[in-house]
Amino acid sequence: MSSNPLRRYAEKVNHYPAWLSSRLLTWMFRYKVKLAGTARVDIVSTDFSTVTFRQPNYKKVQNHIGSVHAAAMALLAESATGFIVGLNLPGDKLPLIKSMNLQYVKRATGDMTAVASLSDEQIQMMQQQEKGEVLVKVTVTDANNIEPVVCEMLWAWVPKK
C-alpha cells in the first residue's frame, strides 16, 4: 500500500492513551474538515476497520425541538464513513462520496454516536483496485441507544491526478 498520511498519523496517535489519542484525531479531523469543526464532531476511537464518532447535542446543532438536527446527523454519518474509507485507501487514491441515503425513522434525544465499519474483504478490495466503490456500514444511535436514522453511504475512489 502506498503512503497514506491519515493512516500514518492515526497509527502514531493510537499508541497514546485513549483520551489523548481521541483528542488528537479529533483536532486533526476538525482542522481538515471545517464543517466538522463548526459542528464539533468528535472522534471517540478507531481500530482501522471500525471508527466511532460522536456529535454532542449542543445549541448550534439543534433543531426546533431541541434534538440534533437532521443535517448534523447526516454530517456525523458521512464523516464517520469518510474517515474509515480514508484510513484504508492507499495514498495515491482519492475518496469521494457517491451517495447518501438517510431515512429518519424516530425522534432523537441527546448526543448522537455513529459507528462505521469496513469488512476485511472491503479493505482488501480498496487497496488492490485502481478505482471502485464500497457501501460502508454505519449505525447512528442517540443517548437512549435508539437508532433514529438508518443510513447507507456509498463511497468511491479514483486515482489522484
Side-chain angles (χ1 to χ4, degrees):
M1 179 162 73
S2 67
S3 178
N4 177 335
L6 175 60
R7 185 168 184 103
R8 281 196 317 272
Y9 181 79
E11 285 172 344
K12 181 178 179 181
V13 301
N14 258 4
H15 288 98
Y16 299 144
W19 68 270
L20 181 57
S21 173
S22 171
R23 286 185 183 181
L24 290 170
L25 286 171
T26 296
W27 174 83
M28 178 273 310
F29 188 76
R30 287 179 180 177
Y31 178 76
K32 291 293 185 183
V33 182
K34 305 299 186 215
L35 185 55
T38 300
R40 290 197 235 157
V41 172
D42 295 322
I43 299 176
V44 177
S45 65
T46 186
D47 64 5
F48 302 98
S49 63
T50 302
V51 67
T52 303
F53 273 55
R54 187 172 66 88
Q55 173 63 68
N57 183 14
Y58 77 102
K59 192 139 185 82
K60 285 189 177 184
V61 295
Q62 287 179 348
N63 58 20
H64 62 287
I65 58 174
S67 62
V68 173
H69 195 281
M73 288 186 219
L75 172 66
L76 180 66
E78 189 263 345
S79 294
T81 57
F83 186 82
I84 201 67
V85 168
L87 278 179
N88 288 288
L89 273 179
D92 62 344
K93 304 292 185 284
L94 182 67
L96 302 165
I97 187 79
K98 194 166 182 182
S99 71
M100 298 191 310
N101 183 6
L102 295 102
Q103 296 176 3
Y104 298 92
V105 295
K106 297 203 189 277
R107 181 179 170 181
T109 44
D111 297 349
M112 304 295 296
T113 303
V115 178
S117 59
L118 293 171
S119 68
D120 292 338
E121 294 79 24
Q122 288 174 315
I123 293 170
Q124 185 177 26
M125 180 178 66
M126 290 168 60
Q127 293 174 357
Q128 292 175 347
Q129 293 182 5
E130 186 70 13
K131 58 183 177 175
E133 60 186 42
V134 63
L135 188 62
V136 183
K137 180 181 172 191
V138 61
T139 304
V140 179
T141 55
D142 67 6
N144 296 329
N145 211 25
I146 295 170
E147 194 174 349
V149 58
V150 178
C151 311
E152 277 188 350
M153 303 285 170
L154 184 63
W155 282 87
W157 64 91
V158 295
K160 285 184 181 174
K161 299 276 181 192

